[in-house]
Amino acid sequence: MAKLLLIFILAPRILVNAYDFNYNEAISKCILFFESQRSGKLPPDQRVTWRGDSALFDGSDYKVDLVGGYYDAGDNVKFGFPMAFTITILSWAALEYANSFSSIGELDNLRAAIKWGTDYLLKASADPLRLWVQVGDAQADHDCWERPEIMDTPRTSFQINATNPGSEVAAETAAALASASLVFQGHDAQYSFLMLDRASKLFQFADLYRTSYTDECPFYCSYSGYDDELLWAATWLLKASNDPTYLKYIHNSLDNCGQSAEFSWDNKFAGFSVLLSEMLFKGVESLKSARWRAEYFVCANIPGNSLAQVARTPGGLIYLRPGANTQYSSGAAFLIGVYRTYLLQSNQTMSVTCGDKTYSTTDLLNFVKGQVNYILGQNPRNMSYMVGFGSSYPLQVHHRGASINCTSSPASVTMQQCEYGFESWFSSSAPNPNVLVGAIVGGPDIHDDFNDVRSNSVQLEPTTYTNALFAGALANIISTC
Protein backbone atom coordinates (compact mmCIF):
# COMPACT_ATOMS: atom_id res chain seq x y z
CA MET A 1 0.00 0.00 0.00
CA ALA A 2 2.81 2.41 0.88
CA LYS A 3 4.46 1.74 -2.47
CA LEU A 4 1.24 2.49 -4.36
CA LEU A 5 0.77 5.70 -2.38
CA LEU A 6 4.29 6.83 -3.26
CA ILE A 7 3.58 6.31 -6.96
CA PHE A 8 0.39 8.36 -6.63
CA ILE A 9 2.26 11.25 -5.05
CA LEU A 10 5.15 11.25 -7.48
CA ALA A 11 3.20 10.69 -10.69
CA PRO A 12 2.08 14.33 -11.10
CA ARG A 13 5.73 15.47 -10.91
CA ILE A 14 6.63 13.19 -13.81
CA LEU A 15 3.62 14.21 -15.89
CA VAL A 16 4.29 17.93 -15.43
CA ASN A 17 7.14 17.76 -17.94
CA ALA A 18 5.38 15.49 -20.43
CA TYR A 19 3.92 18.44 -22.37
CA ASP A 20 5.66 21.55 -23.59
CA PHE A 21 3.12 24.36 -23.20
CA ASN A 22 3.64 27.94 -24.32
CA TYR A 23 2.65 29.68 -21.09
CA ASN A 24 3.25 33.12 -22.60
CA GLU A 25 0.70 32.43 -25.31
CA ALA A 26 -1.73 31.04 -22.75
CA ILE A 27 -1.55 34.09 -20.50
CA SER A 28 -1.96 36.49 -23.44
CA LYS A 29 -5.09 34.66 -24.56
CA CYS A 30 -6.33 34.43 -20.99
CA ILE A 31 -6.27 38.22 -20.68
CA LEU A 32 -7.71 38.75 -24.15
CA PHE A 33 -10.87 36.93 -23.03
CA PHE A 34 -11.85 39.89 -20.87
CA GLU A 35 -12.35 42.01 -23.97
CA SER A 36 -14.97 39.51 -25.11
CA GLN A 37 -16.88 40.14 -21.87
CA ARG A 38 -16.94 43.92 -22.03
CA SER A 39 -20.22 45.75 -21.72
CA GLY A 40 -20.76 49.34 -22.83
CA LYS A 41 -19.06 51.55 -25.40
CA LEU A 42 -16.02 49.69 -26.68
CA PRO A 43 -12.71 51.59 -27.05
CA PRO A 44 -10.88 52.16 -30.35
CA ASP A 45 -8.19 49.62 -29.38
CA GLN A 46 -10.71 46.79 -28.83
CA ARG A 47 -9.03 43.64 -30.16
CA VAL A 48 -12.01 41.26 -30.14
CA THR A 49 -13.62 42.67 -33.25
CA TRP A 50 -16.71 40.43 -33.35
CA ARG A 51 -17.94 42.26 -30.24
CA GLY A 52 -19.66 45.65 -30.50
CA ASP A 53 -21.17 48.33 -28.27
CA SER A 54 -23.89 47.03 -25.95
CA ALA A 55 -26.11 48.03 -23.03
CA LEU A 56 -25.50 51.75 -23.60
CA PHE A 57 -28.46 52.82 -21.46
CA ASP A 58 -27.77 50.76 -18.36
CA GLY A 59 -28.93 52.62 -15.26
CA SER A 60 -31.41 54.78 -17.15
CA ASP A 61 -34.32 53.25 -15.23
CA TYR A 62 -33.01 55.14 -12.17
CA LYS A 63 -31.35 57.97 -14.08
CA VAL A 64 -27.82 56.89 -13.17
CA ASP A 65 -24.90 55.95 -15.41
CA LEU A 66 -24.19 52.24 -15.12
CA VAL A 67 -22.73 51.76 -18.58
CA GLY A 68 -19.64 49.55 -18.73
CA GLY A 69 -18.31 46.69 -16.67
CA TYR A 70 -18.35 43.00 -17.56
CA TYR A 71 -20.83 40.29 -18.37
CA ASP A 72 -19.93 37.53 -15.92
CA ALA A 73 -20.22 34.47 -18.15
CA GLY A 74 -22.13 33.35 -21.24
CA ASP A 75 -25.13 35.55 -20.48
CA ASN A 76 -25.74 39.29 -20.72
CA VAL A 77 -26.24 40.19 -17.06
CA LYS A 78 -23.83 42.31 -15.04
CA PHE A 79 -23.55 40.76 -11.57
CA GLY A 80 -21.58 43.01 -9.23
CA PHE A 81 -20.51 40.31 -6.77
CA PRO A 82 -18.51 38.05 -9.14
CA MET A 83 -17.38 41.09 -11.15
CA ALA A 84 -15.78 42.61 -8.06
CA PHE A 85 -14.08 39.32 -7.16
CA THR A 86 -12.70 39.12 -10.70
CA ILE A 87 -11.13 42.56 -10.31
CA THR A 88 -9.69 41.69 -6.88
CA ILE A 89 -7.97 38.60 -8.27
CA LEU A 90 -6.67 40.35 -11.39
CA SER A 91 -5.27 43.08 -9.13
CA TRP A 92 -3.65 40.55 -6.80
CA ALA A 93 -2.05 38.82 -9.78
CA ALA A 94 -0.79 42.17 -11.09
CA LEU A 95 0.74 43.01 -7.71
CA GLU A 96 2.47 39.68 -7.20
CA TYR A 97 3.63 39.03 -10.76
CA ALA A 98 4.02 42.40 -12.46
CA ASN A 99 7.39 41.32 -13.85
CA SER A 100 5.87 38.19 -15.39
CA PHE A 101 3.16 40.16 -17.16
CA SER A 102 5.61 42.87 -18.17
CA SER A 103 8.13 40.39 -19.58
CA ILE A 104 5.62 39.14 -22.15
CA GLY A 105 4.15 42.56 -22.92
CA GLU A 106 0.83 41.99 -21.13
CA LEU A 107 1.01 44.34 -18.15
CA ASP A 108 -0.76 47.19 -19.96
CA ASN A 109 -3.48 44.83 -21.16
CA LEU A 110 -3.90 43.53 -17.61
CA ARG A 111 -4.20 47.05 -16.24
CA ALA A 112 -6.77 47.83 -18.94
CA ALA A 113 -8.77 44.76 -17.93
CA ILE A 114 -8.72 45.88 -14.30
CA LYS A 115 -9.64 49.48 -15.12
CA TRP A 116 -12.59 48.40 -17.27
CA GLY A 117 -13.99 46.86 -14.13
CA THR A 118 -12.99 49.54 -11.62
CA ASP A 119 -14.39 52.35 -13.77
CA TYR A 120 -17.74 50.62 -13.55
CA LEU A 121 -17.46 49.84 -9.83
CA LEU A 122 -16.72 53.50 -9.13
CA LYS A 123 -19.88 54.48 -11.01
CA ALA A 124 -21.86 51.87 -9.11
CA SER A 125 -20.63 53.13 -5.73
CA ALA A 126 -20.90 56.90 -6.22
CA ASP A 127 -23.33 57.18 -3.29
CA PRO A 128 -21.66 56.03 -0.02
CA LEU A 129 -24.86 54.39 1.23
CA ARG A 130 -25.94 52.83 -2.04
CA LEU A 131 -24.26 50.33 -4.32
CA TRP A 132 -25.64 49.21 -7.66
CA VAL A 133 -25.06 45.47 -7.70
CA GLN A 134 -26.74 44.12 -10.83
CA VAL A 135 -27.99 45.27 -14.21
CA GLY A 136 -30.30 43.02 -16.19
CA ASP A 137 -33.23 40.80 -15.32
CA ALA A 138 -31.42 37.50 -14.82
CA GLN A 139 -34.39 35.22 -15.41
CA ALA A 140 -35.53 37.07 -18.53
CA ASP A 141 -31.97 37.11 -19.82
CA HIS A 142 -31.51 33.38 -19.30
CA ASP A 143 -34.79 32.73 -21.09
CA CYS A 144 -33.34 34.37 -24.23
CA TRP A 145 -30.42 33.60 -26.51
CA GLU A 146 -29.27 36.93 -27.92
CA ARG A 147 -26.04 38.72 -28.66
CA PRO A 148 -25.51 41.56 -26.17
CA GLU A 149 -25.37 44.03 -29.06
CA ILE A 150 -29.02 43.40 -29.98
CA MET A 151 -30.57 42.16 -26.74
CA ASP A 152 -34.05 43.38 -25.92
CA THR A 153 -34.49 41.89 -22.45
CA PRO A 154 -35.11 44.25 -19.49
CA ARG A 155 -32.01 46.04 -18.21
CA THR A 156 -33.37 46.42 -14.68
CA SER A 157 -30.97 47.96 -12.17
CA PHE A 158 -30.67 46.52 -8.65
CA GLN A 159 -29.16 48.24 -5.62
CA ILE A 160 -28.31 47.66 -1.99
CA ASN A 161 -28.70 50.44 0.56
CA ALA A 162 -29.21 51.06 4.27
CA THR A 163 -32.67 49.49 4.25
CA ASN A 164 -31.79 46.65 1.88
CA PRO A 165 -28.10 45.95 2.56
CA GLY A 166 -25.78 43.20 1.41
CA SER A 167 -22.47 42.85 3.21
CA GLU A 168 -20.93 40.28 0.85
CA VAL A 169 -21.16 42.33 -2.32
CA ALA A 170 -20.33 45.65 -0.61
CA ALA A 171 -17.24 44.18 1.05
CA GLU A 172 -16.09 42.43 -2.14
CA THR A 173 -16.42 45.71 -4.03
CA ALA A 174 -14.32 47.36 -1.30
CA ALA A 175 -11.69 44.63 -1.73
CA ALA A 176 -11.67 45.13 -5.50
CA LEU A 177 -11.13 48.88 -5.27
CA ALA A 178 -8.55 48.62 -2.47
CA SER A 179 -6.47 46.03 -4.32
CA ALA A 180 -6.74 47.94 -7.60
CA SER A 181 -5.64 51.13 -5.84
CA LEU A 182 -2.30 49.41 -5.23
CA VAL A 183 -2.00 48.45 -8.89
CA PHE A 184 -2.43 52.07 -9.97
CA GLN A 185 -0.53 53.64 -7.08
CA GLY A 186 2.56 54.40 -9.15
CA HIS A 187 0.71 54.63 -12.44
CA ASP A 188 -2.16 57.05 -11.73
CA ALA A 189 -1.98 58.43 -8.18
CA GLN A 190 -5.25 60.36 -8.36
CA TYR A 191 -7.20 57.35 -9.61
CA SER A 192 -5.56 55.19 -6.96
CA PHE A 193 -6.55 57.59 -4.18
CA LEU A 194 -10.14 57.74 -5.42
CA MET A 195 -10.42 53.95 -5.34
CA LEU A 196 -8.93 53.64 -1.86
CA ASP A 197 -11.24 56.32 -0.49
CA ARG A 198 -14.27 54.64 -2.05
CA ALA A 199 -13.15 51.25 -0.76
CA SER A 200 -12.97 52.48 2.84
CA LYS A 201 -16.51 53.89 2.63
CA LEU A 202 -17.86 50.69 1.12
CA PHE A 203 -16.24 48.68 3.90
CA GLN A 204 -17.86 50.87 6.54
CA PHE A 205 -21.20 50.39 4.81
CA ALA A 206 -20.73 46.60 4.60
CA ASP A 207 -19.68 46.33 8.26
CA LEU A 208 -22.30 48.70 9.66
CA TYR A 209 -25.25 47.01 7.95
CA ARG A 210 -24.38 43.35 8.38
CA THR A 211 -26.82 41.38 6.26
CA SER A 212 -26.31 38.65 3.70
CA TYR A 213 -27.12 39.59 0.14
CA THR A 214 -29.56 37.16 -1.46
CA ASP A 215 -31.13 39.07 -4.35
CA GLU A 216 -28.74 37.57 -6.92
CA CYS A 217 -29.94 34.08 -6.00
CA PRO A 218 -30.33 31.58 -7.55
CA PHE A 219 -27.40 32.74 -9.72
CA TYR A 220 -24.88 33.95 -7.13
CA CYS A 221 -25.99 32.84 -3.67
CA SER A 222 -23.41 33.36 -0.93
CA TYR A 223 -23.26 30.13 1.03
CA SER A 224 -20.21 31.11 3.08
CA GLY A 225 -21.85 34.15 4.67
CA TYR A 226 -20.31 37.62 4.88
CA ASP A 227 -17.57 37.13 7.51
CA ASP A 228 -15.07 36.05 4.86
CA GLU A 229 -15.78 39.07 2.64
CA LEU A 230 -15.46 41.48 5.58
CA LEU A 231 -12.07 40.06 6.57
CA TRP A 232 -10.99 39.85 2.92
CA ALA A 233 -11.85 43.54 2.43
CA ALA A 234 -10.22 44.56 5.73
CA THR A 235 -7.03 42.74 4.74
CA TRP A 236 -6.87 44.48 1.38
CA LEU A 237 -7.56 47.85 3.01
CA LEU A 238 -4.80 47.21 5.54
CA LYS A 239 -2.41 46.34 2.72
CA ALA A 240 -3.41 49.42 0.69
CA SER A 241 -3.56 51.99 3.49
CA ASN A 242 -1.34 50.70 6.34
CA ASP A 243 -4.08 51.96 8.66
CA PRO A 244 -3.71 50.05 11.98
CA THR A 245 -7.48 50.27 12.46
CA TYR A 246 -7.87 47.47 9.94
CA LEU A 247 -5.29 45.31 11.72
CA LYS A 248 -7.24 45.73 14.95
CA TYR A 249 -10.43 44.79 13.12
CA ILE A 250 -8.74 41.65 11.78
CA HIS A 251 -7.46 40.68 15.24
CA ASN A 252 -10.93 41.07 16.72
CA SER A 253 -12.56 38.99 14.00
CA LEU A 254 -10.03 36.35 12.96
CA ASP A 255 -10.48 33.90 15.84
CA ASN A 256 -14.19 33.59 15.09
CA CYS A 257 -13.54 32.41 11.52
CA GLY A 258 -12.95 28.89 10.39
CA GLN A 259 -10.77 27.54 7.61
CA SER A 260 -11.73 26.30 4.20
CA ALA A 261 -10.55 23.96 1.47
CA GLU A 262 -12.17 26.14 -1.20
CA PHE A 263 -11.23 29.46 -2.76
CA SER A 264 -13.83 31.00 -5.06
CA TRP A 265 -16.03 34.03 -5.70
CA ASP A 266 -18.12 32.89 -2.72
CA ASN A 267 -15.51 31.70 -0.24
CA LYS A 268 -12.47 33.82 0.66
CA PHE A 269 -11.42 32.35 4.03
CA ALA A 270 -8.30 30.82 2.49
CA GLY A 271 -7.70 33.95 0.42
CA PHE A 272 -7.32 36.38 3.30
CA SER A 273 -5.36 33.76 5.26
CA VAL A 274 -2.73 33.55 2.52
CA LEU A 275 -2.69 37.33 2.18
CA LEU A 276 -2.21 37.77 5.93
CA SER A 277 0.56 35.16 6.00
CA GLU A 278 2.73 37.53 3.97
CA MET A 279 2.36 40.11 6.74
CA LEU A 280 3.20 37.44 9.31
CA PHE A 281 6.37 36.53 7.42
CA LYS A 282 7.28 40.22 7.39
CA GLY A 283 7.11 40.42 11.17
CA VAL A 284 3.49 40.90 12.28
CA GLU A 285 3.68 38.13 14.88
CA SER A 286 0.10 38.64 16.02
CA LEU A 287 -1.06 37.01 12.78
CA LYS A 288 0.35 33.56 13.58
CA SER A 289 -3.00 31.86 12.96
CA ALA A 290 -2.90 33.04 9.34
CA ARG A 291 -0.16 30.53 8.54
CA TRP A 292 -1.96 27.44 9.83
CA ARG A 293 -5.15 28.59 8.11
CA ALA A 294 -3.28 29.02 4.84
CA GLU A 295 -1.55 25.68 5.21
CA TYR A 296 -4.85 23.98 6.01
CA PHE A 297 -5.91 24.99 2.50
CA VAL A 298 -2.64 23.74 1.00
CA CYS A 299 -2.88 20.37 2.74
CA ALA A 300 -6.55 19.95 1.88
CA ASN A 301 -5.86 20.38 -1.84
CA ILE A 302 -2.56 18.57 -2.37
CA PRO A 303 -3.12 14.81 -2.65
CA GLY A 304 -1.33 12.01 -0.87
CA ASN A 305 -1.29 13.31 2.71
CA SER A 306 -3.47 12.45 5.70
CA LEU A 307 -5.11 15.91 5.67
CA ALA A 308 -6.10 15.91 1.99
CA GLN A 309 -9.83 16.21 1.51
CA VAL A 310 -10.56 17.64 -1.94
CA ALA A 311 -11.64 15.19 -4.64
CA ARG A 312 -9.76 14.85 -7.92
CA THR A 313 -10.61 13.36 -11.27
CA PRO A 314 -8.64 10.24 -12.33
CA GLY A 315 -6.50 12.58 -14.46
CA GLY A 316 -5.66 14.76 -11.44
CA LEU A 317 -7.93 17.83 -11.75
CA ILE A 318 -9.25 19.31 -8.50
CA TYR A 319 -13.00 18.67 -8.46
CA LEU A 320 -15.37 20.31 -5.97
CA ARG A 321 -18.71 20.47 -7.75
CA PRO A 322 -20.25 20.64 -11.23
CA GLY A 323 -20.68 24.04 -12.83
CA ALA A 324 -17.57 26.10 -13.60
CA ASN A 325 -15.44 23.56 -11.71
CA THR A 326 -12.25 24.88 -13.31
CA GLN A 327 -12.61 27.92 -11.04
CA TYR A 328 -11.81 25.68 -8.06
CA SER A 329 -8.78 24.05 -9.65
CA SER A 330 -7.59 27.45 -10.89
CA GLY A 331 -8.28 28.94 -7.47
CA ALA A 332 -6.25 26.24 -5.73
CA ALA A 333 -3.40 26.66 -8.21
CA PHE A 334 -3.39 30.44 -7.87
CA LEU A 335 -3.58 30.51 -4.08
CA ILE A 336 -1.01 27.78 -3.48
CA GLY A 337 1.25 29.50 -6.02
CA VAL A 338 0.98 32.78 -4.12
CA TYR A 339 1.66 31.05 -0.80
CA ARG A 340 4.71 29.44 -2.36
CA THR A 341 5.88 32.91 -3.44
CA TYR A 342 5.50 34.20 0.13
CA LEU A 343 7.43 31.24 1.54
CA LEU A 344 10.30 31.89 -0.86
CA GLN A 345 10.37 35.56 0.11
CA SER A 346 10.37 34.82 3.84
CA ASN A 347 12.99 33.69 6.30
CA GLN A 348 10.65 30.94 7.47
CA THR A 349 11.00 27.22 6.90
CA MET A 350 10.25 26.89 3.20
CA SER A 351 8.03 23.84 3.41
CA VAL A 352 4.53 22.84 4.41
CA THR A 353 3.90 19.89 6.72
CA CYS A 354 0.63 18.07 6.14
CA GLY A 355 0.31 15.39 8.78
CA ASP A 356 2.57 12.60 7.59
CA LYS A 357 4.02 14.47 4.59
CA THR A 358 6.17 17.53 4.08
CA TYR A 359 6.04 19.50 0.84
CA SER A 360 8.81 21.76 -0.41
CA THR A 361 8.23 24.87 -2.49
CA THR A 362 9.16 22.76 -5.52
CA ASP A 363 6.32 20.38 -4.63
CA LEU A 364 3.95 23.34 -4.43
CA LEU A 365 5.08 24.53 -7.86
CA ASN A 366 4.51 21.04 -9.28
CA PHE A 367 0.97 21.12 -7.92
CA VAL A 368 0.35 24.48 -9.62
CA LYS A 369 1.75 23.19 -12.90
CA GLY A 370 -0.29 20.01 -12.62
CA GLN A 371 -3.59 21.92 -12.42
CA VAL A 372 -2.62 24.46 -15.09
CA ASN A 373 -1.29 21.82 -17.47
CA TYR A 374 -4.40 19.69 -17.10
CA ILE A 375 -6.55 22.64 -18.18
CA LEU A 376 -4.22 23.41 -21.08
CA GLY A 377 -4.39 19.88 -22.45
CA GLN A 378 -2.43 17.42 -20.34
CA ASN A 379 -5.40 15.24 -19.48
CA PRO A 380 -6.95 11.91 -20.52
CA ARG A 381 -8.78 13.55 -23.45
CA ASN A 382 -5.81 15.64 -24.62
CA MET A 383 -8.32 18.47 -24.71
CA SER A 384 -7.44 22.08 -23.96
CA TYR A 385 -10.13 23.68 -21.83
CA MET A 386 -8.85 27.09 -22.90
CA VAL A 387 -10.61 28.04 -26.12
CA GLY A 388 -8.25 28.80 -28.99
CA PHE A 389 -5.25 27.21 -27.29
CA GLY A 390 -3.71 24.04 -28.70
CA SER A 391 -5.03 21.83 -31.47
CA SER A 392 -8.11 20.52 -29.67
CA TYR A 393 -10.42 22.74 -27.65
CA PRO A 394 -14.20 23.25 -27.17
CA LEU A 395 -16.03 24.45 -30.29
CA GLN A 396 -19.54 24.96 -28.93
CA VAL A 397 -18.88 27.22 -25.96
CA HIS A 398 -22.04 28.13 -24.04
CA HIS A 399 -21.82 31.86 -24.78
CA ARG A 400 -24.41 34.00 -26.50
CA GLY A 401 -22.09 36.44 -28.25
CA ALA A 402 -19.69 33.78 -29.49
CA SER A 403 -22.42 31.45 -30.74
CA ILE A 404 -24.29 33.97 -32.92
CA ASN A 405 -22.91 35.42 -36.13
CA CYS A 406 -22.37 39.14 -35.60
CA THR A 407 -24.18 39.95 -38.86
CA SER A 408 -27.21 37.91 -37.84
CA SER A 409 -30.49 39.76 -37.38
CA PRO A 410 -33.97 38.45 -36.68
CA ALA A 411 -35.54 41.36 -38.53
CA SER A 412 -36.45 39.21 -41.53
CA VAL A 413 -38.31 36.59 -39.50
CA THR A 414 -41.61 36.79 -37.72
CA MET A 415 -40.69 34.87 -34.57
CA GLN A 416 -39.54 36.74 -31.51
CA GLN A 417 -35.84 37.40 -31.11
CA CYS A 418 -35.52 35.03 -28.12
CA GLU A 419 -36.96 32.15 -30.09
CA TYR A 420 -34.84 33.01 -33.12
CA GLY A 421 -31.66 32.75 -31.06
CA PHE A 422 -32.54 29.39 -29.54
CA GLU A 423 -33.79 27.83 -32.77
CA SER A 424 -31.17 29.21 -35.16
CA TRP A 425 -28.04 29.30 -33.01
CA PHE A 426 -28.36 27.63 -29.60
CA SER A 427 -29.61 24.38 -31.15
CA SER A 428 -27.09 24.39 -34.00
CA SER A 429 -24.63 21.50 -34.15
CA ALA A 430 -22.06 23.71 -35.91
CA PRO A 431 -19.06 25.24 -34.09
CA ASN A 432 -19.52 28.76 -32.77
CA PRO A 433 -19.02 31.31 -35.57
CA ASN A 434 -16.91 33.47 -33.22
CA VAL A 435 -13.98 31.89 -31.39
CA LEU A 436 -14.00 32.99 -27.75
CA VAL A 437 -10.21 33.04 -27.54
CA GLY A 438 -8.76 32.53 -24.08
CA ALA A 439 -11.97 31.50 -22.34
CA ILE A 440 -11.62 28.77 -19.71
CA VAL A 441 -14.77 26.64 -19.86
CA GLY A 442 -16.27 24.74 -16.93
CA GLY A 443 -14.29 21.63 -17.79
CA PRO A 444 -14.76 17.88 -17.42
CA ASP A 445 -16.82 15.96 -14.89
CA ILE A 446 -15.49 13.93 -11.99
CA HIS A 447 -14.60 11.10 -14.41
CA ASP A 448 -12.63 13.34 -16.83
CA ASP A 449 -15.52 13.08 -19.32
CA PHE A 450 -16.54 16.08 -21.41
CA ASN A 451 -19.39 16.69 -23.86
CA ASP A 452 -18.84 19.56 -26.29
CA VAL A 453 -22.49 20.48 -26.88
CA ARG A 454 -23.60 24.10 -26.50
CA SER A 455 -26.54 23.26 -24.22
CA ASN A 456 -24.11 21.72 -21.71
CA SER A 457 -23.64 24.91 -19.71
CA VAL A 458 -22.17 23.06 -16.71
CA GLN A 459 -19.09 22.10 -18.72
CA LEU A 460 -19.03 24.72 -21.48
CA GLU A 461 -19.80 28.08 -19.89
CA PRO A 462 -16.78 30.33 -19.22
CA THR A 463 -16.59 32.89 -16.40
CA THR A 464 -14.49 35.99 -15.80
CA TYR A 465 -13.42 34.88 -12.32
CA THR A 466 -12.10 31.54 -13.59
CA ASN A 467 -9.95 33.36 -16.14
CA ALA A 468 -8.72 35.78 -13.49
CA LEU A 469 -7.61 32.94 -11.21
CA PHE A 470 -6.03 31.06 -14.10
CA ALA A 471 -4.09 34.14 -15.26
CA GLY A 472 -2.61 34.43 -11.78
CA ALA A 473 -1.62 30.76 -11.70
CA LEU A 474 0.03 31.09 -15.13
CA ALA A 475 1.91 34.20 -14.00
CA ASN A 476 3.24 32.29 -10.99
CA ILE A 477 4.66 29.61 -13.29
CA ILE A 478 6.19 32.18 -15.63
CA SER A 479 7.84 33.87 -12.66
CA THR A 480 9.83 30.67 -12.03
CA CYS A 481 11.12 30.33 -15.59
Side-chain angles (χ1 to χ4, degrees):
M1 182 66 180
K3 186 175 181 180
L4 289 175
L5 181 61
L6 181 62
I7 292 172
F8 182 64
I9 295 170
L10 293 180
R13 302 183 195 177
I14 297 168
L15 290 173
V16 160
N17 298 317
Y19 287 64
D20 185 17
F21 291 115
N22 186 332
Y23 294 125
N24 291 0
E25 176 193 352
I27 205 168
S28 294
K29 290 180 174 179
C30 195
I31 295 171
L32 179 64
F33 166 71
F34 291 95
E35 295 191 20
S36 299
Q37 298 302 109
R38 284 173 169 171
S39 180
K41 181 71 175 177
L42 300 184
D45 60 354
Q46 169 81 10
R47 295 176 293 168
V48 180
T49 56
W50 52 264
R51 281 299 320 282
D53 299 342
S54 63
L56 297 179
F57 301 100
D58 279 2
S60 60
D61 52 344
Y62 285 90
K63 297 182 180 179
V64 293
D65 178 8
L66 296 177
V67 177
Y70 288 108
Y71 303 117
D72 72 301
D75 53 18
N76 299 326
V77 183
K78 294 191 301 200
F79 292 105
F81 193 16
M83 190 193 308
F85 177 70
T86 296
I87 299 307
T88 308
I89 297 303
L90 286 176
S91 297
W92 196 358
L95 292 168
E96 297 298 339
Y97 307 115
N99 290 338
S100 296
F101 290 106
S102 180
S103 68
I104 58 174
E106 290 295 339
L107 186 57
D108 286 343
N109 288 327
L110 178 58
R111 283 201 196 104
I114 294 168
K115 192 172 186 297
W116 193 267
T118 53
D119 282 351
Y120 173 80
L121 295 177
L122 287 170
K123 288 181 180 182
S125 61
D127 185 329
L129 288 179
R130 180 174 67 178
L131 175 65
W132 296 97
V133 295
Q134 180 180 326
V135 182
D137 184 313
Q139 193 57 59
D141 178 90
H142 285 69
D143 287 341
C144 283
W145 196 260
E146 307 170 325
R147 290 190 300 113
E149 291 81 3
I150 60 170
M151 61 180 165
D152 58 359
T153 50
R155 299 300 293 171
T156 311
S157 304
F158 298 84
Q159 63 175 291
I160 59 171
N161 50 48
T163 57
N164 183 39
S167 294
E168 289 95 342
V169 64
E172 185 59 63
T173 306
L177 293 173
S179 57
S181 73
L182 287 166
V183 175
F184 287 89
Q185 201 169 55
H187 190 71
D188 186 336
Q190 185 174 0
Y191 190 64
S192 173
F193 177 82
L194 173 61
M195 286 192 286
L196 182 56
D197 179 67
R198 190 68 56 81
S200 65
K201 292 174 181 175
L202 281 166
F203 177 76
Q204 292 170 18
F205 173 46
D207 190 42
L208 180 62
Y209 300 97
R210 292 193 176 197
T211 302
S212 281
Y213 181 65
T214 59
D215 286 359
E216 285 180 337
C217 282
F219 301 98
Y220 285 101
C221 311
S222 178
Y223 296 103
S224 66
Y226 52 71
D227 288 332
D228 55 327
E229 276 82 19
L230 288 172
L231 272 163
W232 175 242
T235 302
W236 277 112
L237 280 159
L238 173 61
K239 189 175 177 68
S241 68
N242 291 315
D243 185 340
T245 303
Y246 295 112
L247 182 59
K248 182 178 179 181
Y249 181 95
I250 292 166
H251 285 152
N252 291 339
S253 306
L254 195 57
D255 289 342
N256 297 323
C257 290
Q259 57 270 12
S260 178
E262 173 186 331
F263 181 54
S264 65
W265 61 263
D266 177 35
N267 192 321
K268 291 98 180 182
F269 286 109
F272 69 70
S273 298
V274 169
L275 198 57
L276 289 172
S277 69
E278 181 194 26
M279 300 178 195
L280 169 66
F281 294 153
K282 289 182 177 179
V284 186
E285 292 295 326
S286 59
L287 294 174
K288 284 184 178 179
S289 69
R291 180 168 189 174
W292 69 256
R293 292 172 191 276
E295 295 190 356
Y296 175 93
F297 178 84
V298 174
C299 297
N301 279 275
I302 293 185
N305 69 82
S306 60
L307 303 180
Q309 58 181 277
V310 176
R312 290 158 66 95
T313 70
L317 185 71
I318 289 290
Y319 194 91
L320 260 68
R321 58 184 67 93
N325 177 68
T326 47
Q327 73 164 305
Y328 306 116
S329 56
S330 298
F334 171 68
L335 208 55
I336 290 175
V338 171
Y339 190 68
R340 172 186 172 275
T341 298
Y342 293 163
L343 284 175
L344 289 171
Q345 293 171 349
S346 74
N347 294 320
Q348 309 290 318
T349 301
M350 289 189 291
S351 62
V352 177
T353 299
C354 300
D356 55 342
K357 301 293 178 185
T358 297
Y359 298 99
S360 67
T361 53
T362 299
D363 294 325
L364 301 189
L365 177 61
N366 284 337
F367 171 83
V368 175
K369 285 184 176 180
Q371 295 304 299
V372 166
N373 288 356
Y374 183 107
I375 290 172
L376 292 179
Q378 185 181 325
N379 54 63
R381 297 179 62 92
N382 292 315
M383 163 79 77
S384 169
Y385 294 106
M386 172 183 278
V387 179
F389 184 87
S391 58
S392 177
Y393 51 82
L395 300 178
Q396 293 197 28
V397 183
H398 184 92
H399 188 276
R400 286 157 177 78
S403 68
I404 302 175
N405 192 306
C406 58
T407 61
S408 173
S409 172
S412 60
V413 295
T414 57
M415 65 182 69
Q416 292 183 355
Q417 192 161 296
C418 285
E419 297 171 0
Y420 174 84
F422 277 114
E423 293 188 16
S424 298
W425 297 103
F426 179 80
S427 302
S428 171
S429 60
N432 286 352
N434 305 307
V435 180
L436 194 64
V437 174
I440 308 294
V441 299
D445 65 15
I446 187 65
H447 306 293
D448 293 309
D449 292 330
F450 183 76
N451 187 19
D452 189 6
V453 177
R454 194 172 293 110
S455 59
N456 183 11
S457 60
V458 169
Q459 296 187 321
L460 277 158
E461 188 165 19
T463 67
T464 54
Y465 39 91
T466 300
N467 265 67
L469 291 163
F470 195 73
L474 280 167
N476 176 266
I477 295 173
I478 292 172
S479 71
T480 68
C481 297

